[in-house]
């Protein structure tokens, strides 16, 4: 299994250029690039060609652009903006060779019928799938384990992906999000492993289901998530591609980026090496 670094892990104590250098030094195979902040900052002083050249000349490669946020249940103007942003992402993927775009569902306090959420997600993901096909890019739907996210369980996300029924549309399996809203491990056991595109590894403090937030994340293996059940099940259903460490812990942002990236690798490998 290949090792990936998600840039959220150094959101407040590093930038894309530093992340790349330190991850390369630590032997990471891939990086998930945060487009809304770190890539935007990078492009103020560099070009996409600069980034493409870096990847051509180094071991580390771009796994995904993270993320196309709040893609579903938008008004007409909001939907048009999502499509434009996604097309811009395709240009970036073409330039640097990223394989995936992570798509995050709408987070809102508005009550929306589940059937309308599902229908919107299916329609938008099919539209994005059509655009992505000619670029050789896949879309990874990431459910978010919080009550205010319109798609917040594995069950609902997998149901949507099955209904979309496109080879280039699948899921991000994030251990934190799976745990945070009490998703059912049996549903993962029954899933088609080829529909899991990216595995986000993380852990969390032991707070109540439904009240967990990203700030509660901790190093893999240092929290309350049954990572053994997650990893053994992913292996059983045939997933063996990439593990991407993604944390949002405020106290970890007080470390140097070198400390954060090294610790993220060490703790991830301590967990993963038992199974892969």
């Amino acid at each position: 299994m290949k090792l990936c670094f998600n840039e959220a892990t150094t959101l407040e104590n590093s930038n894309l250029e530093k992340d790349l250098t330190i991850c390369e030094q630590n032997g990471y195979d891939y990086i998930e690039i945060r487009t809304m902040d770190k890539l935007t900052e990078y492009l103020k002083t560099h070009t996409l060609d600069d980034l493409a050249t870096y990847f051509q000349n180094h071991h580390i490669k771009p796994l995904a652009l993270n993320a196309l946020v709040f893609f579903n249940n938008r008004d007409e103007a909001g939907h048009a903006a999502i499509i434009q942003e996604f097309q811009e992402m395709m240009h970036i993927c073409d330039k640097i060779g990223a394989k995936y775009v992570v798509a995050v569902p709408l987070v809102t306090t508005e009550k929306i019928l589940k059937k309308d959420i599902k229908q919107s997600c299916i329609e938008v993901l099919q539209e994005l799938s059509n655009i992505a096909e000619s670029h050789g890019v896949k879309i990874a739907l990431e459910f978010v384990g919080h009550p205010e996210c319109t798609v917040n369980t594995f069950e609902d996300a997998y149901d949507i992906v099955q209904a979309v029924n496109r080879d280039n549309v699948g899921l991000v399996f994030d251990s934190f999000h799976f745990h945070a809203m009490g998703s059912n491990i049996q549903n993962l056991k029954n899933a088609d492993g080829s529909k899991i595109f990216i595995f986000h590894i993380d852990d969390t403090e032991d707070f109540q289901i439904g009240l967990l937030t990203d700030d509660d994340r901790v190093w893999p293996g240092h929290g309350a998530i049954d990572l053994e059940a997650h990893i053994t099940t992913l292996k059983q259903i045939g997933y063996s591609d990439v593990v991407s460490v993604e944390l949002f812990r405020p106290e970890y942002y007080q470390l140097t980026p070198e400390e954060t990236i090294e610790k993220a690798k060490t703790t991830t490998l301590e967990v993963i090496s038992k199974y892969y």
Side-chain angles (χ1 to χ4, degrees):
M1 183 177 282
K2 300 294 186 181
L3 179 63
C4 180
F5 182 77
N6 184 296
E7 286 196 285
T9 310
T10 52
L11 182 58
E12 296 180 10
N13 62 344
S14 189
N15 57 42
L16 176 55
E17 194 167 17
K18 287 181 183 178
D19 286 344
L20 286 169
T21 299
I22 302 167
C23 286
E24 176 75 12
Q25 292 169 350
N26 280 273
Y28 281 83
D29 301 296
Y30 290 106
I31 190 167
E32 283 189 78
I33 298 172
R34 282 183 61 93
T35 53
M36 69 285 285
D37 38 52
K38 289 193 174 183
L39 181 59
T40 299
E41 179 187 13
Y42 176 89
L43 292 176
K44 291 178 180 178
T45 54
H46 300 77
T47 67
L48 285 176
D49 287 333
D50 293 334
L51 189 55
T53 298
Y54 183 91
F55 286 126
Q56 289 168 5
N57 294 327
H58 293 82
H59 170 77
I60 195 167
K61 297 295 183 281
L63 180 70
L65 301 185
N66 196 323
L68 183 72
V69 297
F70 306 165
F71 69 88
N72 58 297
N73 296 96
R74 304 293 295 270
D75 60 19
E76 186 175 347
H79 176 71
I82 284 292
I83 298 303
Q84 180 178 348
E85 181 180 356
F86 188 74
Q87 289 170 333
E88 292 168 357
M89 285 178 156
M90 293 300 95
H91 172 67
I92 296 169
C93 289
D94 289 342
K95 278 282 190 179
I96 69 174
K99 299 180 177 183
Y100 300 99
V101 168
V102 175
V104 176
L106 179 67
V107 176
T108 180
T109 56
E110 177 187 356
K111 289 184 176 180
I112 306 174
L113 290 172
K114 290 191 71 171
K115 67 179 181 64
D116 294 333
I117 293 169
K118 180 178 179 180
Q119 187 60 35
S120 175
C121 286
I122 292 169
E123 291 175 357
V124 178
L125 287 170
Q126 287 177 338
E127 185 175 2
L128 298 177
S129 170
N130 291 337
I131 297 169
E133 189 172 20
S134 62
H135 299 270
V137 174
K138 294 185 176 182
I139 303 157
L141 169 62
E142 181 170 16
F143 63 97
V144 175
H146 191 277
E148 293 180 356
C149 185
T150 50
V151 184
N152 55 28
T153 66
F154 175 81
E155 294 81 10
D156 286 346
Y158 187 75
D159 186 41
I160 288 166
V161 165
Q162 290 291 91
V164 171
N165 194 27
R166 300 286 179 85
D167 290 342
N168 65 348
V169 177
L171 291 177
V172 175
F173 178 88
D174 184 302
S175 285
F176 173 83
H177 293 315
F178 190 91
H179 172 87
M181 284 295 290
S183 291
N184 190 329
I185 194 69
Q186 189 60 48
N187 290 317
L188 179 61
K189 291 178 180 179
N190 294 336
D192 177 357
S194 69
K195 285 299 183 182
I196 310 294
F197 287 171
I198 300 172
F199 171 31
H200 283 174
I201 194 169
D202 32 44
D203 216 324
T204 184
E205 294 186 272
D206 196 12
F207 295 123
Q208 305 101 304
I209 297 299
L211 294 181
L212 291 158
T213 67
D214 282 332
D215 287 357
D216 301 321
R217 298 188 190 212
V218 295
W219 306 114
H222 289 217
I225 297 176
D226 189 354
L227 291 176
E228 179 179 4
H230 293 186
I231 296 167
T232 55
T233 301
L234 287 171
K235 188 173 183 179
Q236 287 168 4
I237 65 174
Y239 183 86
S240 61
D241 297 337
V242 178
V243 57
S244 183
V245 55
E246 182 189 40
L247 308 171
F248 288 85
R249 185 80 173 179
E251 67 192 68
Y252 298 167
Y253 297 147
Q254 304 305 309
L255 304 172
T256 67
E258 289 83 1
E259 290 172 324
T260 306
I261 291 169
E262 290 170 10
K263 184 71 170 180
K265 176 185 177 180
T266 300
T267 54
T268 297
L269 293 183
E270 284 174 351
V271 174
I272 287 293
S273 62
K274 300 173 186 176
Y275 312 99
Y276 288 94

